[in-house]
Amino acid sequence: MNILGTGIIFSRGLGVAALENALRAGWQPPDEIDLPRSAGLKRLVYQVNLDAVPDKTLLKKNRRSDKLSKMAVLAAADALADSGIAQTADKRIGIILSTAFGAHVTTFDFLDGILDYGEANVSPTTFSNSVHNAAAAYISSSLNIKGPTLSITQFRFSFQSALQLASAWLQQGRCDYVLAGAVDQYGAVLGYVADQKLCSAPDGKIKPFTFSPTCHVPGEGAAFFLLGKAGPENMYCSVTAIHTGAEPDNPNPPDIDIIDADGMLPDESAYIAALRHGIPATSYSPVFGSMMITSAFNIAAGALMLRNQSCYAAPVLDNPHNIRLLSESGKRAMKQIRCTGYNCYGDKSVIYLGRD
Amino acid sequence: MLITGLGVISAAGNNLSETLDSFASGQRNCGPLTLFPSQLPYPVFEVKNLPDNYYLEGRRTLSLAMIAVDQALADARLSDIPKYRIGVCLGTTVASQLNDLQFYMTYREKNSAPMTAADRFLKGNLAEYVSRRIGARGPQLTVVNACSSGTDAIGVALSWLKSDLCDIVIAGGADELNHIPYCGFSSLGIVNPGLCAPFDRDRKGLNLGEGAGIMIIEKQSVAKIRGVTSDLFLAGFGASGDAYHLTAPSPEGIGLKASLRSALAEAGIQPGEIAFINAHGTGTLDNDLVEGNVLADIFGQAVKMLSTKGYTGHTLGAAGGIEAAFTAAGLRYGWIPASAGFENRDEAIPLSPVGEKTSVSGQYAISTSLAFGGNNAAVLLGLENIK
């Protein structure tokens, strides 16, 4: 299965060019936002600014949708456009949207409606947007995609599951292409929950290689990929393996190890054992913010590096365990990148990206 | 792929045997809402007498799921879970949201709230919970495709097995009655203040329900190793989007037609080989009109068809799992119940559901789901030894 197009929206903008610029520039401080009903209290968040999206066509088309759906539509459309595949109307394209928390912000808006106006006076539009598969439905209608459309949630490994299923769909001929991706939105309530359970980074800096104690900075955004069996010359790379659970031995060591460490677990020491000795390691969570779906964003970075045969230095280099970090950006011959993640149960996921 | 186990719980019965009794007698267990306080007047199909040993405070969907999972595992004689690569793919709507009204009220008022509800949510991902609870070591996935979630989950199971991601899949759906859909569907103006009447001329909307429906689906080779067999098999699946509207189906039923054709193609059979169809049949004006016309278009006006939502209500993410299990039972036992609530033919719909308990014979049957967002899905089940 090959990555033919990448679409991304995050706090630093929309599109692969924004991704490239952000990876090149490295860490930047997050936004400081006011907490609702808490005079003077702030939270550091990597927030998406939809007002900064230059082309408003899709935003206008989806004006009644919530922010989660808008981000998903923009990233999915971006991935399709980035692939350069023309005439998609006659192609069977599937959609797999993965998310950890879905439309939770809109769900709380709906609860506001019940509490403020009573059960009989809630908004049908808010309810419709609160349904988990609304975002995928907006992608389908905005891009006129009529293939199988699936929304899935698995907290930390949602995106890995999406890739695994996309590969099966392509293999079985259920689709010609699959738009698979991940989206999550920051919200004040889950921000509060995260504050109760995790340590917030006081300086706004996620330190992926500190491992314990960890600190997080909430992020939001969407990353989508157009996946296909055949790959044109300009494709990004192949997804050569996806493992959840045990990782079989791979005799070919990766050129770079990317880890999903982002402070969303109180202890991320498991990554130490997962890293291969001598292989330069990196993590781009300090660029995107902490998200359960962070692997989708790291995969976007990995795919870009393989296509461009250029690497980007780890954005935060705090390194108390003396891991060999990818400390410099620049041209680099690479054939394989490994992306590793862990969930709260200690289960491991591994995605291999390759380019010959 | 063999279907070696079935488990089901809904207002129609706490297991398949009780359900078939309700079907045979035409009993409809719909009544006033008792699970949470509400000012809205709509009746619901609640599951009664949940066994104490399955009670999980604040996580009713998981309780319902585990009841059906345990039934299905027992039916499949599958106890040595760690020995096989068992995947878990389940659909839901309610269990995927942090939607605890009390938690949110407290948070709004005090800017803080106890973490109990959040903890339940974070440890309550449906597939993840079931997988951990039984010790499965295959892939796990929670499908949140609104009302087609359960059907889509069975489709994912078929894909997993065909791609050798696992040997056996526990697939289906589970959902509890919850405040958000109860108010939400009411706001859409599609809830019936009386009993739902799928495909009836005078239908006035749906009733909400709850429950779980589970299938154990496995490779024939694995079933052979386990020393089990089954007359039921999963023959095909199809899913397509309408790309039309968030809350209304495409008037031409584009996505449903494509889903049905995909399922038939995967099974390698013709529409004429279908013994009966367990339709989505919610009892709403739009759904039944579109679905009835599509089914007549593809299968002809004489095809035997029913909706079982007159016995269960619309169980949302569970519906596809529950109705696939009912479809399997219909094939196996050779009869389907009267499509409860149907009395008068709608002239705009070229076919009518069965009005009484009806014998069916044939090797194949279909269960359909139409969902929010224009999702359409169809599973095609087969019977090895036709009665």
Side-chain angles (χ1 to χ4, degrees):
Chain A
M1 179 170 74
N2 299 316
I3 296 179
L4 312 180
T6 299
I8 189 166
I9 185 163
F10 64 121
S11 62
R12 311 263 279 270
L14 169 68
V16 172
L19 171 65
E20 208 165 351
N21 288 338
L23 293 173
R24 205 175 285 130
W27 180 80
Q28 298 286 318
D31 305 312
E32 200 174 43
I33 63 166
D34 293 323
L35 289 181
R37 296 182 290 276
S38 303
L41 286 180
K42 307 270 188 189
R43 184 177 287 139
L44 297 173
V45 181
Y46 284 103
Q47 265 198 316
V48 169
N49 179 9
L50 290 175
D51 292 336
V53 173
D55 184 347
K56 299 281 192 287
T57 311
L58 282 170
L59 291 175
K60 282 179 189 164
K61 196 171 179 179
N62 292 284
R63 62 193 176 281
R64 297 180 74 187
S65 70
D66 62 6
K67 186 177 184 182
L68 183 88
S69 294
K70 288 185 172 88
M71 292 191 295
V73 168
L74 288 167
D78 193 38
L80 202 56
D82 184 54
S83 72
I85 293 173
Q87 299 294 327
T88 54
D90 61 336
K91 306 287 195 305
R92 292 175 306 152
I93 303 177
I95 299 168
I96 306 176
L97 181 146
S98 62
T99 178
F101 299 115
H104 68 95
V105 176
T106 309
T107 299
F108 292 125
D109 287 347
F110 189 75
L111 293 180
D112 280 331
I114 294 175
L115 295 170
D116 294 337
Y117 306 115
E119 293 172 303
N121 300 300
V122 290
S123 158
T125 305
T126 307
F127 173 63
S128 304
N129 282 323
S130 79
V131 178
H132 245 74
N133 70 333
Y138 281 116
I139 294 173
S140 162
S141 58
S142 300
L143 306 180
N144 195 29
I145 292 173
K146 296 184 178 124
T149 302
L150 199 69
S151 298
I152 60 174
T153 174
Q154 202 56 43
F155 289 134
R156 192 67 173 180
F157 293 162
S158 299
F159 176 67
Q160 288 85 338
S161 298
L163 281 187
Q164 214 165 36
L165 187 61
S167 175
W169 280 5
L170 291 169
Q171 201 178 63
Q172 291 157 22
R174 295 186 191 276
C175 317
D176 301 318
Y177 302 103
V178 180
L179 257 175
V183 60
D184 260 324
Q185 181 183 0
Y186 164 77
V189 186
L190 279 186
Y192 164 74
V193 171
D195 284 349
Q196 304 308 299
K197 298 191 162 294
L198 302 166
C199 173
S200 299
D203 56 356
K205 204 176 261 189
I206 297 165
K207 301 180 178 77
F209 292 95
T210 300
F211 301 124
S212 180
T214 60
C215 53
H216 86 292
V217 180
E220 65 176 3
F224 270 78
F225 304 89
L226 187 75
L227 305 165
K229 274 170 88 172
E233 278 289 301
N234 63 345
M235 74 173 198
Y236 283 79
C237 59
S238 302
V239 180
T240 53
I242 309 149
H243 304 292
T244 51
E247 179 192 5
D249 287 338
N250 185 341
N252 304 314
D255 297 296
I256 289 173
D257 254 328
I258 302 179
I259 60 169
D260 290 344
D262 61 355
M264 290 297 277
L265 296 172
D267 187 324
E268 296 178 326
S269 304
Y271 284 104
I272 298 173
L275 291 168
R276 287 217 190 186
H277 185 69
I279 306 294
T282 182
S283 175
Y284 299 106
S285 54
V287 170
F288 304 116
S290 306
M291 286 176 274
M292 290 285 209
I293 53 160
T294 197
S295 55
F297 293 83
N298 279 327
I299 289 292
L304 183 67
M305 292 199 292
L306 280 171
R307 188 189 71 175
N308 294 353
Q309 293 292 293
S310 291
C311 64
Y312 303 101
V316 171
L317 296 170
D318 295 54
N319 187 17
H321 299 274
N322 294 317
I323 306 288
R324 186 184 166 196
L325 296 186
L326 185 62
S327 54
E328 287 184 12
S329 302
K331 283 286 174 192
R332 188 186 189 101
M334 290 171 284
K335 284 189 169 177
Q336 188 167 240
I337 290 177
R338 184 178 70 156
C339 302
T340 304
Y342 281 94
N343 67 11
C344 65
Y345 300 106
D347 300 328
K348 184 182 179 184
S349 80
V350 178
I351 300 169
Y352 278 95
L353 303 178
R355 188 177 168 101
D356 292 328
Chain B
M1 303 300 167
L2 292 181
I3 299 165
T4 53
L6 299 174
V8 70
I9 180 167
S10 73
N14 285 9
N15 54 48
L16 189 56
S17 168
E18 286 182 20
T19 304
L20 293 176
D21 288 345
S22 294
F23 283 177
S25 64
Q27 193 177 329
R28 306 182 72 186
N29 300 319
C30 189
L33 177 72
T34 66
L35 289 169
F36 49 87
S38 174
Q39 302 298 313
L40 298 176
Y42 304 109
V44 291
F45 284 85
E46 287 180 356
V47 170
K48 303 291 186 190
N49 305 317
L50 211 64
D52 288 345
N53 53 329
Y54 284 96
Y55 179 72
L56 295 163
E57 191 175 359
R59 294 188 288 177
R60 190 171 168 88
T61 300
L62 303 187
S63 300
L64 294 165
M66 281 313 305
I67 291 168
V69 166
D70 283 350
Q71 289 172 15
L73 289 173
D75 191 32
R77 290 188 282 140
L78 179 55
S79 54
D80 198 358
I81 306 282
K83 193 172 171 185
Y84 302 97
R85 292 181 304 157
I86 299 180
V88 178
C89 188
L90 300 172
T92 190
T93 61
V94 172
S96 63
Q97 293 178 324
L98 177 53
N99 50 22
D100 188 295
L101 192 58
Q102 190 59 50
F103 162 80
Y104 187 61
M105 266 171 67
T106 310
Y107 170 79
R108 268 190 15 155
E109 284 167 15
K110 301 180 177 170
N111 236 353
S112 69
M115 283 292 102
T116 319
D119 286 337
R120 282 180 192 144
F121 167 67
L122 292 170
K123 291 182 177 165
N125 181 284
L126 182 58
E128 190 173 276
Y129 177 85
V130 169
S131 189
R132 293 202 163 273
R133 176 87 179 253
I134 65 169
R137 60 182 178 89
Q140 49 185 253
L141 190 63
T142 300
V143 174
V144 283
N145 244 19
C147 309
S148 66
S149 300
T151 305
D152 285 308
I154 294 168
V156 170
L158 186 59
S159 284
W160 280 357
L161 290 166
K162 283 192 166 183
S163 286
D164 194 34
L165 290 169
C166 49
D167 304 317
I168 300 170
V169 187
I170 296 167
D175 247 332
E176 69 189 81
L177 278 161
N178 176 276
H179 220 129
I180 289 186
Y182 189 67
C183 297
F185 279 94
S186 158
S187 75
L188 293 170
I190 55 171
V191 185
N192 194 324
L195 278 170
C196 67
F199 297 103
D200 190 82
R201 181 192 63 199
D202 304 319
R203 63 192 181 278
K204 292 185 172 65
L206 55 82
N207 301 134
L208 286 171
E210 61 177 357
I214 301 293
M215 285 182 160
I216 309 294
I217 308 164
E218 58 187 296
K219 294 176 185 169
Q220 199 151 11
S221 56
V222 175
K224 194 173 175 185
I225 291 167
R226 293 205 304 117
V228 299
T229 187
S230 176
D231 51 354
L232 293 166
F233 61 97
L234 179 55
F237 170 78
S240 286
D242 283 341
Y244 175 71
H245 192 270
L246 193 57
T247 57
S250 142
E252 295 81 29
I254 292 167
L256 181 59
K257 281 180 188 165
S259 302
L260 288 163
R261 289 191 177 119
S262 296
L264 289 164
E266 184 166 22
I269 64 165
Q270 297 300 313
E273 294 177 75
I274 295 296
F276 71 93
I277 299 159
N278 190 352
H280 189 60
T282 55
T284 61
L285 288 174
D286 284 350
N287 178 89
D288 295 4
L289 179 66
V290 170
E291 189 177 19
N293 275 282
V294 168
L295 296 180
D297 187 31
I298 294 181
F299 299 98
Q301 295 179 20
V303 70
K304 289 175 182 169
M305 181 271 279
L306 80 161
S307 165
T308 49
K309 287 191 173 66
Y311 298 96
T312 63
H314 191 351
T315 58
L316 305 180
I322 289 174
E323 289 159 22
F326 292 167
T327 307
L331 269 178
R332 175 175 279 167
Y333 300 113
W335 64 272
I336 52 175
S339 192
F342 177 80
E343 284 181 10
N344 300 303
R345 180 171 181 161
D346 183 341
E347 292 304 322
I349 302 175
L351 80 176
S352 297
V354 295
E356 56 189 18
K357 185 181 169 188
T358 302
S359 294
V360 289
S361 64
Q363 197 179 357
Y364 298 100
I366 283 182
S367 177
T368 56
S369 292
L370 286 78
F372 248 66
N375 277 328
N376 304 272
V379 284
L380 204 158
L381 309 183
L383 180 74
E384 212 50 81
N385 306 305
I386 308 168
K387 293 202 166 43

